[in-house]
Amino acid sequence: MGIFDRMLWLIAARSLLQHRLRTSLLMAAIGGVTALLVMLTGAYVGIKTTLLVSATTLMSGHVNVAGFYKATASSSAPVVTNYKKVRALVEKEVPQVDYIVQRGRGWAKLVSESATQQAGLGGIDITHEPGFRKVVQVKEGSIDGLTQPNGILIFEAQAKRLSVKVGDTLTIVAPTFRGTNNTLDVTVVAIAADIGMLSSWNTFMNDQGLRQLYQLNDETTGALQIYLKDIEQVKLVQEQLRTVLAREGFGMLDPDPRPFFAKFDGVNRENWTGQRLDVTNWEDETNFVQWIVTALTVLATIVIFALVAIIAVGIMNVMWISIRERTREIGTLRAVGMQRGTVLSMFLAEGSLLGLIGTIVGGIGGVLGSIAVSKAGITLPPSWQFVFFSDHLVITPTLTWVGFSVGFITVAIAGISLIPSFLAARLKPITAMSHVG
Amino acid sequence: MSNGIVTIQDVEKEYSLGATVVKALRGVSLTVEKGEFISIAGPSGSGKTTLLNLIGCVDTATRGDVVVAGKNTAQLSERQLTDLRLNTIGFIFQSFNLVSVLSVYQNVEFPLLLQDKLSSGERKKRVESLLEQVGLNTHMKHRPNELSGGQRQRVAIARALVTDPLIVLADEPTANLDSQTGQAILDLMKSLNQQKGTTFIFSTHDHKVMRYANAVVRLADGKILGRESPELAVAHAVGMDAPAAPVQAAS
């Protein structure tokens, strides 16, 4: 920056300082909007992160190898036969893998002495589930109870609905993949804290118990849930797996970014039998709840644009006042040889400086506010927990989003300042100098 | 047309005031030679400021030619006019018109920064030397609002001269000053005119101020009445009988 540019910034800074009250009020407004944007984006990241964690704990890996087995063309079972061979292949061909778990999948009616509930069943081998233990917070009982063949873990809301506690018995009634109904008595070994919407229809039982219920052999499972060292690699690994599995002769379903339970109708209409594999990622398996994230994003965007519009009016007014007050000064500067472009730059510098300081202060305020809210552990009402995938408000400000918020508001304010600055620059020196007021 | 530093030929300037057209200048012709210390005198509304604005390229004539430093201002673009003002003309305003948020030093330095011709060291030397000449070298860090009216006008003079302009235009430079300070300002302008050979054109309605000029161009009702010696102009201004001296044509 040359000395002349420094002089323009100096004029801008001192002009703002000359009107401390006006500048402070406007900066507070800009800072407030920025802080709000930082917190909204933080909430967005928090929801996405919580969704990622809960989805990849409860119902999906980062990438999944699942599929359908069809004994006849019109009846399908969501299983992977000979999964050990598939797993070995994945371990050999995909170096990005952190660890793999196999999960049985089912859908059944849970019957207690006083109520019933439809729920998804996850067949889990708890001795090989490092992520599950970290995320699921057991409120009652022990997660190790899932090593018992007839153990089941349910969530708080389900326990309340079914009126059961740890040690109580539930009867599971499920249609098997062979078309008959089967029942199994299981014992509630753990009740875990709810994890938003996703935990409302998921339960976990011992893997062997699930095999027994659905009469599956040891070579068959519901899905291989693959966890990666770097989640950014999801798409790449997905493509890699499709290529490898196809190359090794496995029949593959066409890519379809929907959860497995939404694919039954389509698969049953297709004229093939035997095993076909499907490679999905965590977003595919949760796309039925992604609308929540989308809706919140749209809502936040509308709020932010409305606030920016209000700020824009404020900025325009303040710039107008500033220009009116300094019209004679503009005329003088033009008379002594300042070009129009430089007048524009001078006022633009003022607007940008106002925006930059306001947004930086707001950005810092937003980060501190987010940390404070998260640390306060504010418990959300049940209906909000359903949407936020968590029992408390999680706001996670990230450097990228804070940078975006500060940058976006600063650029918006500089852009808004451009209009009055441009009109100031267009003033004729004689008109500006003879301005009264 | 003569080759003066400023040549004005048959210039008319009209303003619209609603539906009324006001003729501020009516067929004015004037030549100012390099190094002159000339006063444009006349009562309020006679067209003094309009004439200075045309010479200073901050306004354009409705008809006629205004040639400043050999350039016909009607043929110049806005950018070229701004460049001409920056490099050829210095302005001293009645109300000083300093940038309130800049210090005395920065106000004087500003046109040099716009020019971007001198190194930092050369700029510093030039600004300090001028502030010393106008007696403000001890006030360089002060802001304009910390100065008296006379001191502010001295800053304005230093700012007008800092680019070494060919012409300095001063519109009623002493109107806002007490008579003692006004005299000091005129003495300063005169001495700078003599030292540097810079052309000064200043407007006034005050006959005491006219005495400082080498020549006085008398304006009334948008017309030049004549170019006179200061003594004759003062006599006209105070309504006395004119001394026996020849009246020159304006151009």
Side-chain angles (χ1 to χ4, degrees), chain B residues 95-113:
Chain B
S95 312
F96 326 128
N97 291 27
L98 300 174
V99 181
S100 59
V101 295
L102 296 182
S103 67
V104 165
Y105 182 93
Q106 287 164 334
N107 263 286
V108 178
E109 188 190 26
F110 201 78
L112 292 179
L113 294 175

Side-chain angles (χ1 to χ4, degrees), chain A residues 3-4 7 10-11 14-15 18 328-329 332-340 342 429-430 433, chain B residues 53 58 78-79 82-83 85-86 91 93 95 97 99-102 106 109-110 113-114 123 143 159:
Chain A
I3 186 157
F4 182 67
M7 187 74 94
L10 183 74
I11 293 174
R14 285 186 178 168
S15 298
Q18 211 168 33
R328 285 175 69 87
E329 184 181 304
T332 307
L333 293 173
R334 292 279 288 118
V336 299
M338 186 184 265
Q339 294 286 0
R340 281 179 167 164
T342 315
I430 184 68
M433 281 197 299
Chain B
N53 286 340
V58 292
E78 179 60 41
R79 174 167 281 276
T82 307
D83 279 337
R85 288 197 296 271
L86 176 62
F91 287 90
F93 302 96
S95 312
N97 291 27
V99 181
S100 59
V101 295
L102 296 182
Q106 287 164 334
E109 188 190 26
F110 201 78
L113 294 175
L114 286 170
R123 268 199 319 269
R143 296 271 187 93
R159 181 180 64 184

Side-chain angles (χ1 to χ4, degrees), chain A residues 115 155 160 236 289 318 360:
Chain A
F155 291 90
K160 199 173 167 190
L236 180 72
V289 287
V318 167
I360 288 173

